[in-house]
RNA sequence: GCACCUGUAGCUCAAUUGGAUAGAGCAUCUGACUACGGAUCAGAAGGUUGAGGGUUCGAAUCCUUCCAGGUGCACCA
């Protein structure tokens, strides 16, 4: 429907030369008396044309040609809105597009031929994924799905660091637990990894090597073993949520291939860094930033900024049109430095999109569940999936805007009742499947003659279904999964209303067939939408 | 102290990015199947959008000053 509106306004350009298509927006009004779509375009033109919005609206209206006879009513309303109402025949005929395209309905070509990289999770292999990583993982995967839906060729990438102090402590934690299992009396340090999973890894070493590795004091052995085990666990958890990565990028490789050194040299050539107190500083104040930042410590080790910059340069070299980074709120202060560094070196940072999500807290029985990684009393993502299942986990992580804190209500998530919002969507789908199963038993078929329909609930549902591609587009372009979620919720609601008011089966042949087709279309859109969210559309519940 | 995020119905959150009368779910109260799944539907009640000021045809949204909560502010990542 929106396509048609843009087409109509495009035709208008030959008559009214002030029309600029990319400045026009159409939206679904809050009140149905205002029609199916409305535009505020006359208001936008008012200043430029020095006329009242109302006059402009009238002028547009007089020149509009409805070539396909799609509108039942077009009118100027309020002080200059233009409202459009579509004929039901146009709506129901358009619905055949949904049925014909099936799984492809909602897949767009707009960004076809462009490459996107989505980097997310990127947790270092020091322990199982936490609930916080869960939000990052599910959101990142959904953004990747959305970009795919609008035509991008998407790669999912996991960036990790398996060097440095953290990993040494991890390795030594495992070593000590292993020795403990061998009966040695160990004084386990407070600032080591306390988690149960460390003991599990130690047990695996014991199983595999018995006491042969007892006297190994090379931490590398323990490090590699632990890393392998932890990654295995992380991937298993992600797999349960339906998340798979195309690439794993090891930060260490940047050192091995001399990329870090390269970046330093480039900064030096640009004369944008200087030495002070034995450290190398990046002169960000020259770019109008508040303060300079250290890129190489006096110990000779780079700070995180350098590898992060080098990593992004590698991404640029791989020639993506879009690079999305997904971080938790704790990274808020770090990425501006990285972007500044890239800009100094002449990279177009508009291709980098940084999405920051706020933290997750677990609420149980109205009380905050306190979590601390050091004490290892955190809830792992795996435990969460055990408790409520993958679909609920995904939905709960997606149902809030990323800029808001997320209270994961465990008590609510566990409920298999109408209080749990994910079931509302899934139930609508299961219900449709029920009807379609029943129809097959009775030998009824959907037809393509939908325009025999005309009840309010049928029209409302049909119109909503046709908006799906536009919702996918808006959702992807705004990196906002909530637009899609809200849409699907409304869709389920409209279907339930329709279902309640009108029976599908047991009507006249042509009505039953047409309603079956409407159900089928609703099923397609629900499936396609849920699939972008990575949530199952069950046939039975 | 500085930067970023948040503040909307009793609770958890929306609001097509500056649009028309601020909407959902839960909780509360009323109602609705001898037929396709009642995990549903219809209705009631619930609001000075944290507070004040400003910008304009028009503000929950933008600017500004406060108030409250969260996160970060290292030669940690």
């Amino acid at each position: 429907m929106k396509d048609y509106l843009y087409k109509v306004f495009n035709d208008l350009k030959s008559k009214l030369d002030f029309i600029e298509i990319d400045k026009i927006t159409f939206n679904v009004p809050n009140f149905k008396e205002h029609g199916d779509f409305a535009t505020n375009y006359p208001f936008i033109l008012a200043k430029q044309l020095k006329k009242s919005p109302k006059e402009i609206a009238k002028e547009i209206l007089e020149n509009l040609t409805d070539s396909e006879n799609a509108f039942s009513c077009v009118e100027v309303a309020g002080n200059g809105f233009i409202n459009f109402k579509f004929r039901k025949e146009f709506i129901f005929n358009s619905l055949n597009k949904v049925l014909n395209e099936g799984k492809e309905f909602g897949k767009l070509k707009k960004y076809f031929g462009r490459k996107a990289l989505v980097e997310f999770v990127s947790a270092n292999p020091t322990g199982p994924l936490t609930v916080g990583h869960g939000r990052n993982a599910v959101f990142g995967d959904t953004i990747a799905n959305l970009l795919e839906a609008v035509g991008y060729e998407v790669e999912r990438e996991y960036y990790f660091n398996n060097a440095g102090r953290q990993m040494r402590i991890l390795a030594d934690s495992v070593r000590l637990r292993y020795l403990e299992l061998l009966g040695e009396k160990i004084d386990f340090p407070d600032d080591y990894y306390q988690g149960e999973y460390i003991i599990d890894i130690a047990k695996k070493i014991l199983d595999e090597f018995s006491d042969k590795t007892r006297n190994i004091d090379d931490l590398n052995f323990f490090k590699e073993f632990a890393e392998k085990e932890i990654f295995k666990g992380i991937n298993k958890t992600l797999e349960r949520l339906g998340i798979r990565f195309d690439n794993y990028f090891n930060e260490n490789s940047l050192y091995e291939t001399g990329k870090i050194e390269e970046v330093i040299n480039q900064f030096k050539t640009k004369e944008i860094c200087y030495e002070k107190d034995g450290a190398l500083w990046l002169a960000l104040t020259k770019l109008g930033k508040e303060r300079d930042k250290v890129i190489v410590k006096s110990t000779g080790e780079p700070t995180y900024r350098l590898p992060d910059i080098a990593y992004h340069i590698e991404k640029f070299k791989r020639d993506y049109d879009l690079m999305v980074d997904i971080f938790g709120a704790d990274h808020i202060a770090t990425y501006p430095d990285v972007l500044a560094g890239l800009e100094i070196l002449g990279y177009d940072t508009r291709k980098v999109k940084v999405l920051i999500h706020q933290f997750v807290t677990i609420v149980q029985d109205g009380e905050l569940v306190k979590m601390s990684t050091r004490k290892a009393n955190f809830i792992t993502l795996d435990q969460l999936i055990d408790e409520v299942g993958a679909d609920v986990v995904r939905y709960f992580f997606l149902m809030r805007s990323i800029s808001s804190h997320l209270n994961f209500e465990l008590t609510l998530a566990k409920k298999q009742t109408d209080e749990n919002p994910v079931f509302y969507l899934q139930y609508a789908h299961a219900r449709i499947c029920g009807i379609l199963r029943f129809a097959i038993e009775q030998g009824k078929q959907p037809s393509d003659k939908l325009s025999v329909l005309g009840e309010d609930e049928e029209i409302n549902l049909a119109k909503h279904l046709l908006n799906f591609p536009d919702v996918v587009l808006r959702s992807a372009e705004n990196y906002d999964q909530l637009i899609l979620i809200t849409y699907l919720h409304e869709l389920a609601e409209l279907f339930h209303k329709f279902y309640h008011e009108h029976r599908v089966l047991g009507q006249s042949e042509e009505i039953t067939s047409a309603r079956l087709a409407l159900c089928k279309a609703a099923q397609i859109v629900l499936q396609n939408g849920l699939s972008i969210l990575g949530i199952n559309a069950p046939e039975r519940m």
Side-chain angles (χ1 to χ4, degrees):
Chain A
M1 287 194 287
K2 220 173 184 174
D3 295 346
Y4 183 70
L5 287 168
Y6 277 110
K7 182 177 163 291
V8 166
F9 273 75
N10 204 32
D11 293 345
L12 204 54
K13 273 203 295 199
S14 56
K15 292 184 197 160
L16 303 173
D17 54 5
F18 53 79
I19 301 275
E20 294 174 76
I21 292 295
D22 48 354
K23 291 197 176 155
I24 309 176
T25 54
F26 299 98
N27 62 318
V28 180
N30 292 329
F31 301 92
K32 61 175 181 224
E33 308 88 74
H34 296 153
D36 299 325
F37 282 95
T39 183
N40 61 343
Y41 191 47
F43 287 94
I44 292 165
L45 286 171
K47 223 168 239 171
Q48 180 195 334
L49 299 181
K50 298 199 168 60
K51 286 187 202 168
S52 80
K54 221 164 186 164
E55 281 177 80
I56 297 167
K58 277 182 184 157
E59 196 178 340
I60 290 175
L61 221 67
E62 280 161 14
N63 288 288
L64 219 57
T65 42
D66 178 12
S67 57
E68 292 179 30
N69 190 22
F71 302 130
S72 64
C73 174
V74 184
E75 60 185 2
V76 179
N79 293 318
F81 294 96
I82 306 177
N83 296 339
F84 301 87
K85 204 167 184 114
F86 283 87
R87 290 173 57 241
K88 77 178 180 75
E89 288 78 8
F90 181 83
I91 294 165
F92 286 120
N93 287 334
S94 307
L95 217 52
N96 281 314
K97 190 174 167 207
V98 183
L99 297 164
N100 293 334
E101 292 187 14
K103 279 198 185 322
E104 295 302 309
F105 183 68
K107 295 225 166 88
L108 313 178
K109 295 271 185 294
K110 181 162 179 184
Y111 294 92
F112 188 77
R114 298 196 212 182
K115 281 173 65 185
L117 182 76
V118 181
E119 182 215 323
F120 60 114
V121 185
S122 294
N124 289 337
T126 55
L129 293 180
T130 63
V131 167
H133 296 128
R135 187 177 199 185
N136 188 301
V138 170
F139 177 68
D141 188 53
T142 302
I143 290 299
N145 289 344
L146 275 168
L147 293 176
E148 274 169 349
V150 296
Y152 277 103
E153 183 190 326
V154 178
E155 284 176 39
R156 292 161 169 80
E157 187 152 297
Y158 190 123
Y159 177 70
F160 69 99
N161 176 10
N162 60 352
R165 197 179 109 87
Q166 279 180 54
M167 289 302 286
R168 281 196 299 276
I169 293 177
L170 175 80
D172 209 30
S173 302
V174 172
R175 189 180 66 90
L176 293 181
R177 290 299 191 205
Y178 168 67
L179 295 177
E180 215 167 45
L181 289 174
L182 286 169
E184 289 191 24
K185 203 163 166 67
I186 299 293
D187 193 14
F188 200 81
D190 279 349
D191 57 347
Y192 272 34
Y193 289 91
Q194 307 287 326
E196 192 73 21
Y197 66 95
I198 298 288
I199 298 173
D200 291 340
I201 295 169
K203 276 183 190 155
K204 283 199 171 157
I205 297 180
L206 189 67
D207 286 348
E208 207 168 309
F209 298 98
S210 177
D211 66 345
K212 279 182 224 148
T213 49
R214 173 189 286 239
N215 294 320
I216 291 185
D217 51 3
D218 176 14
L219 278 181
N220 248 348
F221 167 78
F222 293 98
K223 196 202 92 174
E224 277 166 22
F225 196 97
E227 183 186 330
K228 208 179 77 203
E229 284 301 318
I230 288 171
F231 254 130
K232 219 190 275 175
I234 287 176
N235 282 325
K236 214 166 139 192
T237 308
L238 291 172
E239 187 83 17
R240 293 178 77 188
L241 291 171
I243 298 171
R244 261 182 228 173
F245 284 91
D246 300 298
N247 317 313
Y248 292 82
F249 194 104
N250 188 341
E251 178 184 327
N252 230 20
S253 68
L254 294 166
Y255 293 87
E256 286 158 5
T257 53
K259 305 288 185 197
I260 302 286
E261 204 61 31
E262 228 170 86
V263 176
I264 296 175
N265 289 335
Q266 286 182 37
F267 280 136
K268 282 183 178 162
T269 315
K270 299 253 177 198
E271 293 180 356
I272 193 82
C273 56
Y274 59 90
E275 285 195 31
K276 196 182 93 182
D277 306 329
L280 192 65
W281 293 70
L282 193 59
L284 291 175
T285 44
K286 282 192 187 169
L287 300 177
K289 303 272 176 185
E290 205 166 333
R291 47 189 292 199
D292 295 343
K293 296 284 172 70
V294 171
I295 50 174
V296 182
K297 296 185 252 177
S298 53
T299 58
E301 280 180 81
T303 62
Y304 72 88
R305 294 181 188 95
L306 211 39
D308 275 11
I309 292 169
Y311 173 42
H312 277 85
I313 291 174
E314 289 310 300
K315 288 186 185 175
F316 271 101
K317 284 185 185 160
R318 287 194 263 156
D319 201 26
Y320 297 105
D321 299 286
L322 175 68
M323 288 156 270
V324 182
D325 292 346
I326 294 172
F327 295 139
D330 51 342
H331 280 69
I332 193 81
T334 71
Y335 78 91
D337 295 345
V338 174
L339 291 184
L342 288 167
E343 260 163 46
I344 290 169
L345 300 177
Y347 292 96
D348 181 4
T349 52
R350 284 173 304 182
K351 288 184 178 177
V352 180
K353 182 77 190 172
V354 178
L355 301 175
I356 305 270
H357 63 84
Q358 298 297 312
F359 282 158
V360 181
T361 42
I362 297 272
V363 180
Q364 188 159 26
D365 303 325
E367 277 187 44
L368 217 77
V369 179
K370 291 244 168 78
M371 287 185 284
S372 146
T373 316
R374 194 172 59 81
K375 290 181 191 154
N377 62 348
F378 55 88
I379 296 184
T380 66
L381 188 51
D382 248 334
Q383 288 165 336
L384 196 63
I385 302 170
D386 290 341
E387 292 268 5
V388 302
D391 282 343
V392 175
V393 167
R394 279 196 75 118
Y395 191 84
F396 270 61
F397 280 140
L398 292 173
M399 67 194 245
R400 300 287 174 245
S401 145
I402 56 162
S403 59
S404 299
H405 292 251
L406 176 70
N407 284 326
F408 198 110
E409 303 219 25
L410 206 53
T411 331
L412 176 61
K414 277 194 219 169
K415 283 190 185 165
Q416 305 240 333
T417 68
D418 57 342
E419 286 174 58
N420 192 329
V422 66
F423 293 121
Y424 190 76
L425 298 183
Q426 294 188 319
Y427 181 56
H429 183 264
R431 208 172 212 184
I432 294 171
C433 291
I435 295 171
L436 295 177
R437 270 197 305 271
F438 213 78
I440 289 171
E441 282 174 28
Q442 299 189 356
K444 305 288 184 197
Q445 293 286 338
S447 78
D448 56 1
K449 293 199 184 68
L450 283 106
S451 47
V452 296
L453 301 177
E455 301 284 351
D456 279 354
E457 291 80 5
E458 294 164 341
I459 296 173
N460 292 340
L461 177 57
K463 282 194 285 211
H464 202 256
L465 292 171
L466 292 174
N467 288 339
F468 181 61
D470 183 54
V471 166
V472 172
L473 184 66
R474 267 178 33 225
S475 209
E477 288 184 337
N478 291 297
Y479 305 96
D480 187 353
Q481 81 294 354
L482 214 57
I483 294 174
L484 177 57
I485 294 214
T486 311
Y487 168 84
L488 290 176
H489 196 91
E490 285 165 357
L491 170 55
E493 185 179 358
L494 288 171
F495 176 77
H496 286 311
K497 277 182 185 169
F498 157 74
Y499 171 89
H500 221 268
E501 288 300 317
H502 308 287
R503 287 190 55 80
V504 175
L505 300 168
Q507 308 296 304
S508 72
E509 193 70 30
E510 61 175 5
I511 291 287
T512 286
S513 297
R515 283 187 181 158
L516 278 174
L518 182 60
C519 288
K520 185 82 194 154
Q523 182 195 38
I524 288 169
V525 174
L526 271 171
Q527 272 175 1
N528 295 358
L530 285 170
S531 137
I532 290 174
L533 300 176
I535 294 171
N536 286 302
E539 295 194 5
R540 287 190 169 86
M541 291 180 71

